[in-house]
Structures are given as C-alpha cells and as structure tokens.
Amino acid sequence: AILVGGFPRKAGMERKEVMGKNVSIYKATASALEAHAAKDCKVVVVANPANTNAWVLSKYAPSIPRENITCLTRLDHNRALGQVAERTGKAVSTVKNVIIWGNHSSTQYPDVNHGTVDGTPIREAVGDDAYLDGDFVTTVQQRGAAIIKARKLSSALSAASSVCDHVRNWVLGTPEGTWVSMGVISDGNSYDVPADLVYSFPVTCKDGAWTIVNGLEIDDASRAKMDATAKELVEEKAMALECLQ
C-alpha cells in the first residue's frame, strides 16, 4: 500500500490544523487496511507529515505488524546522494551510505559522516567541512520547499522514483555493504531514539525485512541534530494524540 493522499499545509494554516486533517485521513485509511488488507501487507506513507501519519496508521491498524508500516525518507536520501555527486563530479551511483536521520521535515539530519564516494570517505572527497556541515545540510532539508517555490507544486516524479527505490530495496534487498534511509518504528534500542516514534534510520533490507544499522559512531554535533528532530517527532505525536481525542 503506497499512501500518497494527505492534506497539504496551505498559507496561513497552523500546524495543528494540518495535523488534525491528516490524523482523520490516516485513521480512516488505517480502518480500511485493518478491514480489508492482507495482514502481511507492506505500507509506505508518502503524504506529510509522513512520519506521524505512519504512526497514526500503525495505531489504528493493529493487526498489521508495526515493522510493515514505514514512511518515505528515500527522496531526502536520494537528494543527499545527488548533492554529493554534484559537488565531487562523480556519478551518483558511486555515492554510498549517506543517512537521513529523523523526521521528513526541515529538522531532518542529512549525515555524510559514514558515507563514501567511489570508495573514498565523503568528507575527504569533498574536502570542505564548512559546506558539508552548512549549505549541504540546509539544501537537503529545504529542497522540498525550494521545489514548491519554483514550480508552485511539490515534487512529483522524483518522489515517485524514490517510492520505487524504497519498495524495491525493501522487497528485493539492499546491495551488500550498502544501506538506505527509511522511516521505521523505533523500539528505543537504537541511537537513543525514543521508542514508539516513526524515525528515519539507516537500514539494510533482506528477504522483505528491514534491519537498522546499529553501532555507527555518533559525534556530538550529530547527536544534537538527531535529538532535535526526535524532539519534533515527540511534539507531533502529542499533537496527533490531542487531535484524536
């Protein structure tokens, strides 16, 4: 199930108003899945706020395993790969293992600290930490807004392509030594992310199942950014619960 329908935020709308409309949409969608979907179906939520919409869906479709409900952060992941490729003049296919941490929002953290370009660490290949810690991060975070400003509509083909990437890797697996970013349910045991949030992690996939890549070294600057996006997700979840009452 690829869920692209949601209520977009419009000029002058408060976050809570948008949240309320999407909570009702995803509560109803969850009821439909609960009643009619195969219990082993896989779900990708695309519509924003994608992470929290996926959380609402998991709450109201309890017979679908929570690990089968994900949200799309692959578009952000692919944008990060593209920025690094452009900066280094290398093919995007040679860029591996960037990470999108957290929320599919402007608080997401695009992390290059564990990635490579053509086998060389990204930081070494780019040779410009100020760029990687500054403009690179904000460009990936704000890319969706930039596209809306330019074409008066949100991204379409790039989002569709990323959904295909997400589903293909989930079903057919990730190449050996490569991980991708997916919004998945946290059990509280990975990277100090609170349990019961749909949070974007680095994952590998095999036999139709995802596994969080654990044990990566996290520096203090990364920790602060990961905590900030988790905090936003906690606040969104609280807002969603309020709308559900």
Side-chain angles (χ1 to χ4, degrees):
I2 299 169
L3 305 179
V4 297
F7 191 91
R9 187 171 183 173
K10 297 180 179 178
M13 288 185 70
E14 296 294 328
R15 277 179 71 203
K16 187 176 178 183
E17 188 180 354
V18 183
M19 183 67 72
K21 289 182 180 296
N22 280 290
V23 160
S24 64
I25 290 168
Y26 276 83
K27 186 176 178 184
T29 304
S31 299
L33 286 169
E34 183 70 12
H36 303 293
K39 298 313 174 193
D40 62 349
C41 80
K42 289 176 164 54
V43 182
V44 187
V45 177
V46 180
N48 289 319
N51 301 59
T52 301
N53 286 344
W55 179 83
V56 170
L57 195 80
S58 72
K59 181 175 173 66
Y60 287 96
S63 68
I64 296 175
R66 299 193 85 188
E67 61 271 19
N68 281 20
I69 297 172
T70 66
C71 80
L72 186 74
T73 57
R74 185 60 173 269
L75 179 52
D76 311 298
H77 181 97
N78 286 351
R79 286 167 172 165
L81 296 176
Q83 291 295 319
V84 172
E86 188 175 342
R87 191 78 176 189
T88 57
K90 299 284 189 179
V92 72
S93 59
T94 68
V95 186
K96 308 287 186 190
N97 297 352
V98 300
I99 302 166
I100 303 297
W101 297 102
N103 199 2
H104 176 61
S105 76
S106 60
T107 68
Q108 66 177 261
Y109 171 40
D111 179 2
V112 299
N113 291 325
H114 310 281
T116 59
V117 186
D118 222 2
T120 302
I122 288 174
R123 286 197 178 272
E124 184 181 324
V126 171
D128 187 345
D129 283 347
Y131 162 74
L132 289 172
D133 295 333
D135 285 350
F136 166 78
V137 172
T138 54
T139 298
V140 176
Q141 287 174 334
Q142 302 291 338
R143 184 64 176 165
I147 288 169
I148 290 170
K149 185 177 179 183
R151 68 187 295 263
K152 309 298 185 257
L153 293 165
S154 60
S155 52
L157 187 59
S158 54
S161 176
S162 299
V163 171
C164 292
D165 291 343
H166 177 110
V167 172
R168 182 178 62 247
N169 283 142
W170 193 1
V171 174
L172 299 179
T174 45
E176 189 69 32
T178 302
W179 62 66
V180 294
S181 302
M182 288 173 63
V184 299
I185 194 72
S186 170
D187 63 4
N189 294 323
S190 297
Y191 300 104
D192 296 322
V193 174
D196 198 35
L197 291 181
V198 176
Y199 188 99
S200 182
F201 290 98
V203 303
T204 56
C205 302
K206 186 177 181 181
D207 299 328
W210 54 263
T211 303
I212 293 172
V213 177
N214 279 302
L216 299 174
E217 193 172 320
I218 305 299
D219 61 25
D220 290 344
S222 295
R223 181 76 263 163
K225 291 182 175 70
M226 291 163 66
D227 289 346
T229 192
K231 181 173 180 285
E232 183 182 55
L233 282 169
V234 169
E235 290 168 358
E236 280 190 12
K237 189 172 97 170
M239 199 183 297
L241 284 168
E242 196 177 327
C243 294
L244 288 165
Q245 290 173 358

